[in-house]
Amino acid sequence: MTLELLEFLHVLAQTESVTGAATRLRISTPKSSRLLQKAREIFRDDLFVRHGKALVPTAFMKTLRPRLAQAIGSWEHLFENAVFRPETYEKTVRVCAMDSALATVLAPAMLEIRRRAPGVRFEVVQLDRDLLTMLANGRIHIGIAPRAMVHSSSIMQQMLYASQYVYVVRPGHPLALRVEAGEKMTRDAIEAFPALRINTLLDDESWLMPSPREQGAITMPYMLGAPRIIRESDMVLRMTGRLALEYVRSGELVALPTPWVRPGIERALYWHQRTDSDPGLQWIRSMIRSFGVKISDEEAVRRIFSTSPRFLAKEIDEF
């Protein structure tokens, strides 16, 4: 059993497609098929059976699925015969990340790492364009930034997650009331309201540029300050699925059932090659990554609307 195989099964369970899993993991479809065959041999179960165009998990796979994310984040057993021990590891780890990644991935990862390795301390700084220099001179150990933002032979990277966006408004917003009344949600309807736009200056999301009618009434670089503005206004905000899921579950915001916006920029972990073989930092990166793959933005959006079956049943206009 390898980490690659665990991650493949985890993604395949989400996509229900060998091709979809291959695309998500950036591997070839033949390799994806070989990984599935290898997993079937290891577990002595079909794991997935075809139902129409989808691969549906078997009863055994359904019992295995909840443990996959935990297993991905628990591979510190690789160091059992090495000097490294999480419980005795002491280090101040400096991480550079944008606030949305901090809220959805880094924060829960740091708590779990601290639980297992109390001697680890974290210093988190705001992401900026000096990421390459900060990694090179040792000012930070790990960066979380848009994928392919850094181009250097000395900088290592690994995909963390891909963004998927959803529109949110306050409870009682005119758009939310119209959806509840059975009206279709259209782009014209959304653009009739002022937009709150998040601009980090680092995301090359030109395909997400607003139309003239959707220019931001407020533009700012901080996502975590946005929900309060949305709750106290009639503005519309586009945020990532996994962050929106928390606010929708708590009842603070309402998600609009619009056609999904094209997937956003992929986020990646970055580190300098000189720390690549450091057992402690290897473990910390693996823990952060386990929270990155725990739930995709696409899956989060599905969960948001699965709590509102009447929304899913509505016919939605294409943008």
Side-chain angles (χ1 to χ4, degrees):
M1 181 61 63
T2 64
L3 177 62
E4 180 183 42
L5 192 56
L6 289 173
E7 291 179 336
F8 168 75
L9 289 176
H10 181 74
V11 173
L12 182 58
Q14 293 180 340
T15 62
E16 297 184 349
S17 165
V18 170
T19 302
T23 301
R24 178 86 63 84
L25 295 171
R26 295 180 176 271
I27 61 177
S28 67
T29 299
K31 181 174 182 179
S32 187
S33 297
R34 290 195 297 271
L35 286 172
L36 176 57
Q37 182 58 38
K38 183 176 181 180
R40 284 169 168 168
E41 293 173 357
I42 291 174
F43 291 105
R44 298 181 181 180
D45 185 87
D46 287 337
L47 300 180
F48 296 88
V49 294
R50 186 161 296 283
H51 182 74
K53 294 183 178 181
L55 286 176
V56 179
T58 63
F60 175 80
M61 183 61 202
K62 289 179 180 179
T63 65
L64 182 64
R65 182 176 180 178
R67 302 196 296 270
L68 287 175
Q70 181 180 0
I72 292 172
S74 300
W75 60 303
E76 63 265 27
H77 66 273
L78 292 175
F79 305 106
E80 285 177 353
N81 296 322
V83 176
F84 174 72
R85 291 287 188 276
E87 62 273 16
T88 60
Y89 184 54
E90 294 187 5
K91 189 177 184 66
T92 298
V93 181
R94 295 178 293 276
V95 185
C96 185
M98 58 200 310
D99 63 347
S100 59
L102 170 63
T104 58
V105 176
L106 188 56
M110 289 190 297
L111 290 174
E112 180 62 19
I113 290 169
R114 287 272 305 156
R115 186 184 70 80
R116 301 190 189 191
V120 173
R121 297 165 298 280
F122 285 96
E123 293 180 4
V124 182
V125 299
Q126 177 68 32
L127 181 64
D128 62 37
R129 294 188 183 277
D130 288 333
L131 177 62
L132 178 60
T133 302
M134 295 169 74
L135 288 167
N137 63 22
R139 287 170 56 197
I140 62 171
H141 300 102
I142 298 171
I144 301 178
R147 190 175 176 90
M149 171 185 166
V150 175
H151 300 279
S152 172
S153 59
S154 63
I155 302 299
M156 318 296 288
Q157 65 171 280
Q158 186 176 39
M159 180 179 169
L160 190 58
Y161 64 92
S163 300
Q164 182 80 56
Y165 291 90
V166 63
Y167 286 95
V168 294
V169 295
R170 64 172 174 81
H173 189 285
L175 290 176
L177 296 178
R178 288 168 62 178
V179 170
E180 290 181 2
E183 294 186 32
K184 299 176 183 178
M185 188 52 52
T186 66
R187 182 160 192 160
D188 285 342
I190 289 177
E191 291 180 346
F193 289 86
L196 171 57
R197 293 190 54 77
I198 306 301
N199 179 13
T200 67
L201 302 179
L202 291 169
D203 290 348
D204 181 18
E205 297 182 349
S206 56
W207 51 266
L208 270 177
M209 288 301 290
S211 67
R213 289 182 297 168
E214 198 190 353
Q215 295 294 339
I218 297 178
T219 300
M220 62 184 191
Y222 306 113
M223 175 61 79
L224 295 187
R228 179 173 181 177
I229 296 175
I230 294 300
R231 290 196 305 268
E232 299 180 13
S233 72
D234 279 344
M235 292 186 188
V236 178
L237 171 66
R238 180 169 44 205
M239 65 166 41
T240 59
R242 66 174 72 198
L243 188 57
L245 179 60
E246 299 301 320
Y247 289 104
V248 171
R249 278 178 169 173
S250 68
E252 295 179 68
L253 299 176
V254 176
L256 300 177
T258 57
W260 285 350
V261 182
R262 177 180 170 185
I265 299 298
E266 294 178 346
R267 315 295 175 183
L269 280 178
Y270 292 94
W271 65 96
H272 197 276
Q273 64 179 5
R274 68 172 173 273
T275 65
D276 188 48
S277 59
D278 183 305
L281 290 176
Q282 282 182 344
W283 176 72
I284 287 174
R285 290 194 299 266
S286 73
M287 290 293 293
I288 295 174
R289 178 162 166 73
S290 74
F291 281 87
V293 302
K294 193 169 186 178
I295 172 175
S296 67
D297 271 356
E298 183 177 344
E299 176 67 18
V301 173
R302 286 199 185 100
R303 293 187 186 184
I304 287 172
F305 293 114
S306 68
T307 61
S308 302
R310 66 181 184 279
F311 285 174
L312 290 178
K314 297 183 184 302
E315 180 182 356
I316 301 172
D317 285 350
E318 287 292 340
F319 278 15

